[in-house]
Amino acid sequence: SEYVRGINSEVSLPTGSVCAERACIVKARSDFPEVTRENMKGIAVLEVPMGEESLELNNPLPPCGACREWLEKIQEKSQGFYVLTFPDLSFSYVHERFVF
């Protein structure tokens, strides 16, 4: 098993931003070209503050509509595919979600 990180890239353009989930999927495919949807087992989503800023976090953070569509396509081929979210940075609790 391999773990791949993704980070969201927000820009103020009508074409939108690239969410961490989609960035992670694309990175996995570019780093491991042999990986298919059937090989993907899950994705974890967590908002982490940048730097030493004390921000109010939005965890557990569900996937946006575009990411949900991508994740549904993966789950069609990988039936046990799951989405993990966390309420805070302590990782004391885990929310396991299936896309469908």
Side-chain angles (χ1 to χ4, degrees), residues 62-81:
C64 72
C67 288
R68 183 175 302 278
E69 289 180 21
W70 278 46
L71 299 173
E72 285 176 358
K73 286 295 187 185
I74 293 171
Q75 195 174 47
E76 287 174 4
K77 298 291 184 178
S78 182
Q79 297 299 311
F81 186 84

Side-chain angles (χ1 to χ4, degrees), residues 78-90:
S78 182
Q79 297 299 311
F81 186 84
Y82 54 87
V83 177
L84 296 180
T85 60
F86 308 90
D88 56 40
L89 301 178
S90 73

Side-chain angles (χ1 to χ4, degrees), residues 7-71:
I7 186 171
N8 74 318
S9 299
E10 295 188 21
V11 294
S12 298
L13 294 172
T15 55
S17 301
V18 177
C19 294
E21 295 92 327
R22 287 179 283 149
C24 185
I25 293 165
V26 170
K27 183 169 181 352
R29 290 283 295 128
S30 64
D31 286 356
F32 307 99
E34 68 282 358
V35 168
T36 63
R37 288 184 284 170
E38 293 87 354
N39 303 124
M40 295 182 184
K41 302 301 179 203
I43 194 161
V45 182
L46 177 68
E47 181 179 13
V48 178
M50 295 183 61
E52 296 181 21
E53 299 172 12
S54 173
L55 299 175
E56 186 175 322
L57 302 178
N58 295 312
N59 293 311
L61 199 60
C64 72
C67 288
R68 183 175 302 278
E69 289 180 21
W70 278 46
L71 299 173

